[in-house]
Amino acid sequence: DLENRANSNLRALFKIAFVGDVFVGKTTAIRALKGDTFQSETRPTMSCDLQYIEEMRNGKPYLFQIW
């Protein structure tokens, strides 16, 4: 998995949780952070949706684990 693979040379791991009422745009916001295209209709997430974003800053890898 991405978290285990990156741990050996990882600069930092950030765990971020998006919480809120249904149909407020949590999934859409996470997709935008990942650089995915906007979808005007998205099915409700029925359980925890775990996503990863890996970013390089000043030559160092940062991993964002988004719940």
Side-chain angles (χ1 to χ4, degrees), residues 11-63:
R11 174 73 177 147
L13 170 65
F14 296 92
K15 295 185 179 190
I16 303 166
F18 276 67
V19 295
D21 290 332
V22 295
F23 298 114
V24 296
K26 296 178 298 292
T27 299
T28 300
I30 292 168
R31 286 183 178 160
L33 286 171
K34 292 183 66 179
D36 293 345
T37 58
F38 176 77
Q39 295 177 357
S40 60
E41 293 188 24
T42 303
R43 293 185 357 198
T45 306
M46 299 307 285
S47 63
C48 181
D49 186 19
L50 184 62
Q51 300 286 325
Y52 289 94
I53 298 174
E54 192 171 11
E55 291 284 328
M56 293 292 286
R57 297 285 186 228
N58 299 322
K60 297 175 182 158
Y62 292 83
L63 184 64

